[in-house]
Amino acid sequence: MTYPTKKLVPFYSAAYTRSYLTKSYERINIDQAKTKSFHTCYSFIYHLKHGNLYIDQAKKAPMDLKPMLLFYGLVQFLKAIILTKDPTYPENSQVLAHGVTTRKRKKSGFIFLDDEVKIQKNGLFTHALGKMFHMKHLANDKFKMRHLLQQLPEMESLFIQFNQQSFLFKGTFHNHSIQYDSSILDSYHMTVNRFEQYIKYKEQPWSKKGVTITEGKQLITIPYSKKPSPSSGFPFTFDDQGHPYLFRSREGYLGMPELLVHYLLLYNLSMICRYETEWWGELIHTFDGNDLPFITQYIDFTTSRIGALVVDTLLPDRTK
């Protein structure tokens, strides 16, 4: 699911962008949609353009600087996406803060995978969570880096190599359904009926007629009416080829949209590369500990993934 960001090029036309924003506002019943699209049009374009510039520079930059460039690229993209839902953004200075914090000085023996970020009450993260994904809060306000990385299927192979443990079930799309090995029921300690209720509880937008799960000899089949995607917001996660995954335990799923998983990871990595320069330099150049393979694989993956997620969010009907 690595879409070229050239699909965003039409937005560099003010006329196209005004029409797009007008339709976006009308869909969510915002008054004076056309007038407000005129006011937000150029802000949207510049945020999108700056996001692309940061990501392009990250592709060329050394590892020492990549996290900072990727984070600020994602910030610009998020601001553009928020403008499609909230024409008043930024309404006040509170929403301009990052909305996330982490320990500024790392303790001796610091391990990145065990480091945490904490969500603050106000800021870009919380505003995006509400405006883009209609979520007022998350179940937790602190998140470890290893748990955030485990939300991404591309990282699973590395966790298996280091920990000899898989944390995801891979599904396949087949005849308007998603199929999983029936052993997933044992992992969730559920019957078919209970698993069906669990999926329904998440109220996923892609299944308009509800979910009726059938159990074959070795497969669990979950029907869908509209093919889901990373922006669907239900308890699945996707690799960059669009394959759907479920976590092997309910506790593994953090309930966080993938764009915001990247926001938290890149926020912390950008803070480390700016303010923990000695630790960051030693990590990159001495190959000490287990953090570097995870960080390197994540940075390589997310450099192309961010653009794909932005395209999927802004143009969901054109990425299938």
Side-chain angles (χ1 to χ4, degrees):
M1 197 168 289
T2 304
Y3 307 124
T5 51
K6 67 182 181 182
K7 291 190 177 182
L8 299 176
V9 168
F11 287 111
Y12 296 151
S13 159
Y16 176 89
T17 296
R18 281 194 291 267
S19 174
Y20 174 90
L21 290 171
T22 298
K23 292 174 184 176
S24 296
Y25 298 153
E26 288 174 344
R27 276 196 295 271
I28 53 180
N29 300 314
I30 289 178
D31 293 334
Q32 299 179 314
K34 191 171 183 179
T35 300
K36 289 176 180 175
S37 73
F38 271 84
H39 292 158
T40 57
C41 172
Y42 286 100
S43 292
F44 176 91
I45 292 172
Y46 285 129
H47 284 312
L48 210 60
K49 191 172 188 295
H50 287 166
N52 267 323
L53 285 171
Y54 275 117
I55 300 301
D56 286 344
Q57 289 304 308
K59 292 175 182 177
K60 305 169 188 175
M63 174 61 81
D64 308 58
L65 302 178
K66 280 181 184 290
M68 182 173 60
L69 294 168
L70 289 170
F71 176 66
Y72 282 110
L74 179 54
V75 165
Q76 293 296 321
F77 280 138
L78 281 179
K79 289 179 178 180
I81 294 169
I82 287 172
L83 281 172
T84 69
K85 308 290 185 182
D86 179 10
T88 66
Y89 179 83
E91 193 169 11
N92 56 60
S93 59
Q94 288 184 327
V95 298
L96 293 174
H98 293 318
V100 190
T101 186
T102 186
R103 186 188 298 274
K104 295 297 187 293
R105 298 297 301 174
K106 308 302 181 185
K107 295 180 179 179
S108 60
F110 167 71
I111 297 173
F112 173 74
L113 291 176
D114 293 331
D115 199 21
E116 287 184 337
V117 291
K118 184 176 181 179
I119 310 304
Q120 296 178 315
K121 183 178 180 180
N122 298 307
L124 179 59
F125 181 91
T126 305
H127 197 67
L129 190 70
K131 291 296 181 181
M132 292 165 52
F133 303 104
H134 312 293
M135 299 169 68
K136 293 183 179 180
H137 58 80
L138 296 166
N140 302 310
D141 64 352
K142 290 183 180 179
F143 297 93
K144 280 192 174 184
M145 297 298 102
R146 70 170 69 249
H147 296 152
L148 291 168
L149 288 170
Q150 286 173 353
Q151 304 303 293
L152 309 171
E154 285 76 9
M155 300 302 299
E156 189 188 30
S157 62
L158 208 54
F159 278 103
I160 291 173
Q161 286 178 276
F162 278 83
N163 303 324
Q164 290 77 52
Q165 188 175 12
S166 169
F167 52 86
L168 290 171
F169 281 102
K170 183 178 181 180
T172 57
F173 290 115
H174 180 71
N175 291 337
H176 297 285
S177 67
I178 308 174
Q179 294 184 329
Y180 289 91
D181 189 279
S182 60
S183 62
I184 195 171
L185 296 177
D186 294 331
S187 182
Y188 276 65
H189 305 292
M190 291 180 179
T191 62
V192 174
N193 290 338
R194 178 67 186 91
F195 186 69
E196 183 178 321
Q197 292 302 313
Y198 168 70
I199 297 295
K200 282 182 179 179
Y201 172 75
K202 298 299 180 180
E203 298 180 349
Q204 62 279 28
W206 51 271
S207 185
K208 298 176 182 177
K209 298 180 180 179
V211 176
T212 302
I213 297 172
T214 56
E215 183 180 14
K217 291 183 179 179
Q218 295 181 327
L219 294 173
I220 291 291
T221 300
I222 305 171
Y224 63 83
S225 58
K226 179 182 178 182
K227 190 170 182 178
S229 71
S231 60
S232 296
F234 64 107
F236 293 73
T237 188
F238 296 85
D239 63 19
D240 62 358
Q241 301 301 311
H243 299 123
Y245 292 78
L246 273 172
F247 293 90
R248 288 186 177 271
S249 71
R250 284 174 285 175
E251 293 74 23
Y253 177 60
L254 296 180
M256 192 186 307
E258 187 182 338
L259 265 176
L260 297 185
V261 170
H262 291 294
Y263 185 92
L264 296 183
L265 285 164
L266 290 173
Y267 167 81
N268 199 21
L269 282 169
S270 71
M271 293 293 285
I272 289 170
C273 80
R274 279 181 288 168
Y275 299 111
E276 299 293 333
T277 50
E278 183 177 353
W279 183 89
W280 183 242
E282 289 182 357
L283 173 77
I284 294 172
H285 300 294
T286 65
F287 309 104
D288 190 26
N290 293 335
D291 282 335
L292 184 58
F294 286 92
I295 292 173
T296 300
Q297 185 158 312
Y298 170 69
I299 290 295
D300 288 345
F301 158 65
T302 198
T303 301
S304 60
R305 181 64 165 173
I306 288 174
L309 290 170
V310 172
V311 171
D312 181 81
T313 304
L314 292 175
L315 301 168
D317 297 330
R318 304 186 189 186
T319 57
K320 305 294 180 278

